[in-house]
Amino acid sequence: MADSEQPSARRIIEEIVRETQSYNALLEHFSALGEKIASLSGIEEILQQIARSASEVLHADPVVLFQYDRDTSKLVPPPIYAGTLFEGVDYNKTFVFTGDTFAEKIVKGGQHLYFEKTKEIEQHPYMISEKSEAIPGRPHIRFHIREGIVSVAALVLKAGDEIVGLMFLNYRHKQTFTDSAKKLMKTFASYAAIAIKHFRLFQQFRKSEAFLQRIVDKIPDPVFVTRNKKIDGKLVWRINMANRAAHKLLGYDYKLKDFEGKDARELLTVDLDKLTQALRQGKGEVSNCEVVILNRFGESVPISISTAILERDEFHITRTICIAKDLTKAKILEQQLDHLNRATLLLLNAESLEQAYDTIFENLAKIGYDKGMISLVDETTRTIVGKRATGKNWRDLQYKTNVPLSSNDILARVVKSGKPELIEDCANNPYCNQEMVRQAGITAQYIIPLIVQDKVIGALQIGLSEKQDLLKGDRHYLNETLKILAGFANQVAVAIESQRQKIRIEKLEKTMADMGHEFRSPLHNLSAHLGALKYHLEKKYGDDERVRQIAQIVQEEAYRADRQMKNALFSAAESLEMMGSNFEEGQISETINYCAERFRETAKKRGITIIVYDSVKKLPPFLYDKVQMEQVFTNLIDNAVKYSYANENIEIKGEDHGRRVEISVKDNGVGIPERWYEQIFEEFQRSDIMDRTRFIPGTGLGLKIAKKFVLNHKGKIFVVSKPYLNDPKKVMNYEGYTTTFFVILPKNPKEQ
Amino acid sequence: MSKRILFVDDENWSVSPYFEILQDHDIETDFAENSDQAIALLRQKKYDLIVLDIMFAPGTILGQQVEPRRAGSTLLAKIRNQEIPELKTAADVPVFVLTAVTNGQVLDSVRDLQVKEIFRKPAPFDDVIEKIITFLET
């Protein structure tokens, strides 16, 4: 019986055997054989194929083929038949070999058996020792009689050590089982065994695929299983399994499994060789490797993958499982945060409260939140009032929002607690005003308190009715989103408060300017008329010392009134920091000279000379607020003149320290105790030192204002007072002291 | 030829003390208490100097409402920019400002309108007189 005569079955089997040299090779073989094997829907088909081949190749008729289940150590019924069978018996329905212990004993014996005559079977120990019932009753014998079988070869199908089945080759004519016939049968048996084993493995593999798919499907994150092959010397990862999330991530329909089988290189912009290297060198796992994957539309989707080896052979990683974390949401969060941070800058530069509101809602809309409202606390009425809303329903709501702080309304609760509230179901929230919520059609919202320096100034409501995806989706993403919104609310609060401050400052500045104007005008009129009077008198009566003296005094008093008024006005500002500074480049010597000039006459009368040294003039121009510095030096010179002894000099010197300048105003006169060095710049406490040392008469505000203005320039002001007389009694009484006020100013206060 | 000077101030008595001494120096002094009066005078005569207040009421210029806080500077801006009909010749008239306004921004905006001098009220009487006379004599 030449091989060539029976080509078909042999070829399949030989092909299978040839191509399946190892377990992994077999798996590859089966996937490669693809259609051929895949067309066989079950083990029965391949068994039938084998049985038919046996019938054809070995001329056996009929062939009975059993599968053997290693796990249960039993032959698996029903057997497969090939060849011609006695008509009228449906062997598929009537299981002939139920309880065929004979067959089982052959399998257990593990040896091929050859029976040339029926008698040999009947007398075989496996047959006789079992069951005491009449021989014709034994299923096997009955089968032989019914089918007229004479010779039988029982072949144990063994693949390696594993028994996979048992095949009876029956003959209705007497056979002589020669050695060569036996050899052929043995070879066939081993081929058949290998084929069955491989098919089983394939099935098992198919089962494990399904198992893996079930697991993969249960993972909520996108999962890809790749099969890796070396093609043209390069390792290619092919995606061969993916779950619903993975399909969704890449924009594919789960049922279509469009991208499966694609080279991962086409989808991942990751260096697979590098990743493979990492897998090999490490413990077979790589965690959180950020890569970009392309979706169906060719767009980049950022993911982070954790990869583990599923299978490997001697040389390659043949299979990996990649669990991806969708970074899109993280990127969205990042973008949102980035966007809102940029919006914050715009907010801080807003020119008005209205513009700030516009900026807030424009930017919230840009990141997808286009409904909401800002309400602010009205301190006088103790209510929370809707200030600005966006989105039609919310605008209606704005005009109705006037919530007493004492009420139990959700808005009042948030303002009072200072804690944000996420309300996912307004209709069932006991603190939501149901009528308003219903009218405005609001189902969900996030209410964030607006807090500035621990004070809640209002609340920002963000409508989330249309954001069910967000609310029902990933909790972590929701929380991160809320955090970002709450962070933005902080900036909103600061911006609103600074706008309100600005309005207050503007009002105050206006009031001060008006008040100043109202004071200065009569002072001017007074001094101008005095001037005219003096001129008139001199014209009429000639030069008169007395007239000049009176005129001088009135003039000086007018200036003094002006100075005091300025101090009073400045301090009237609730907080002097609120005063905006107007830094401009200027020559400080001009300002100082202007101030010194006003005191020169008064000083001269007591023999005091105010000397502005050249070192002041040599100071380079720098940025300072002229109005403020004028007041600082007016106050310092005023102070020096007041406490200087007669016939002493007041010295004003300058020093350039690079990034800073130092200006000192020095007088010799009444001293300042060291313990008062600090306090003299604060609110003046008269009682303690008024008798012995210098104190500031009038408003007592001069130095306080000087300090505030110097601080506005981010500068420093301090005093040093040292005795220059060696008389202990005088030192005790703070007489004969050189007192120097130092003002240190940065050349660019904006840079500090 | 005698020099001529126009004082613009809503309070006559705020500038009137200067009149006698200036007149003694052969300087003709006119006075306007608002923008419209000033415009009328400027249309009639040529002035060698205007001494201008900044903040005065009512803040109207030719029927147009302006911010009283900046009435003077607005008037000057309009003169400089030749926005007032029949007043083109006065576009570069020298101007001293005499004001009780101390707001830096306002003063700066005035400075930009080429004023020769800014006196802040209360201004030393002799200083004002001396600067005016010196300016007109040179």
Side-chain angles (χ1 to χ4, degrees), chain A residues 251-275:
Chain A
Y252 290 99
D253 185 341
Y254 183 54
K255 286 172 203 154
L256 291 177
K257 302 198 170 192
D258 284 344
F259 68 90
E260 289 177 25
K262 269 195 184 173
D263 183 356
R265 263 172 235 265
E266 290 172 30
L267 297 166
L268 293 171
T269 62
V270 63
D271 189 339
L272 282 181
D273 292 331
K274 227 176 183 176
L275 194 58

Side-chain angles (χ1 to χ4, degrees), chain A residues 471-484:
Chain A
L471 295 172
K472 301 276 184 289
D474 181 357
R475 215 64 198 169
H476 173 74
Y477 177 61
L478 172 66
N479 287 338
E480 290 301 310
T481 305
L482 296 183
K483 259 189 231 164
I484 288 175

Side-chain angles (χ1 to χ4, degrees), chain A residues 404-440:
Chain A
L405 268 177
S406 56
S407 77
N408 220 359
D409 187 275
I410 187 70
L411 214 48
R413 290 176 70 88
V414 168
V415 167
K416 277 183 286 190
S417 72
K419 292 199 175 67
E421 289 262 7
L422 172 67
I423 302 152
E424 296 179 58
D425 183 7
C426 293
N428 286 316
N429 189 300
Y431 308 114
C432 282
N433 183 326
Q434 289 306 322
E435 202 190 314
M436 279 164 80
V437 163
R438 205 169 41 247
Q439 278 177 7

